[in-house]
């Protein structure tokens, strides 16, 4: 359930808002004159959300790249043989 507080709580009870952000691990929605105005969250939650956004961006990029018909593909078995050959100095062992 979202945590919604008036802007006066941010001004008058900042420590309480900070504590709620940290203990609940959820953002606090701040209203002004009864309407949504701000969202306050802990730094840890912010960093977590940024990491998720970055991951989704990378996944979207990889998905786009993998659907490109002009990209040369290498069979998994062939790739592993090549890597093993490099690691073992030209010798392959299957």
């Amino acid at each position: 359930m979202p945590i919604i507080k008036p802007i006066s709580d941010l001004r008058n009870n900042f420590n309480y808002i900070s504590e709620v952000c940290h203990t609940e691990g959820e953002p606090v929605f701040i209203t002004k004159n009864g309407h949504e105005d701000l969202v306050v969250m802990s730094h840890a939650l912010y960093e977590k959300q940024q990491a998720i956004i970055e991951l989704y961006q990378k996944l979207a990029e990889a998905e786009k790249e993998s659907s490109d018909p002009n990209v040369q593909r290498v069979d998994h078995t062939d790739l592993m043989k090549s890597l093993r050959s490099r690691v073992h100095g030209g010798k392959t062992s299957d």
Side-chain angles (χ1 to χ4, degrees):
M1 184 165 185
I3 303 165
I4 303 170
K5 298 291 180 185
I7 201 161
S8 60
D9 277 7
L10 184 60
R11 184 176 49 247
N12 300 329
N13 299 316
F14 176 78
N15 288 335
Y16 169 74
I17 298 290
S18 176
E19 182 182 326
V20 168
C21 288
H22 290 285
T23 59
E24 297 296 322
E26 295 288 329
V28 175
F29 297 89
I30 305 295
T31 61
K32 184 177 182 181
N33 298 324
H35 299 311
E36 60 219 23
D37 188 44
L38 300 170
V39 177
V40 179
M41 66 178 73
S42 69
H43 187 262
L45 179 59
Y46 174 79
E47 288 295 324
K48 180 180 175 184
Q49 289 184 346
Q50 290 301 114
I52 290 170
I53 290 168
E54 185 178 338
L55 175 63
Y56 280 128
Q57 288 172 338
K58 288 179 179 181
L59 286 171
E61 186 178 322
E63 183 70 28
K64 181 180 176 186
E65 190 176 301
S66 73
S67 65
D68 185 352
N70 298 322
V71 173
Q72 181 183 2
R73 289 173 173 47
V74 178
D75 182 78
H76 174 75
T77 305
D78 294 338
L79 175 65
M80 293 308 293
K81 283 181 183 179
S82 173
L83 291 174
R84 284 188 186 107
S85 176
R86 286 171 134 179
V87 168
H88 298 295
K91 301 174 189 175
T92 58
S93 58
D94 292 324

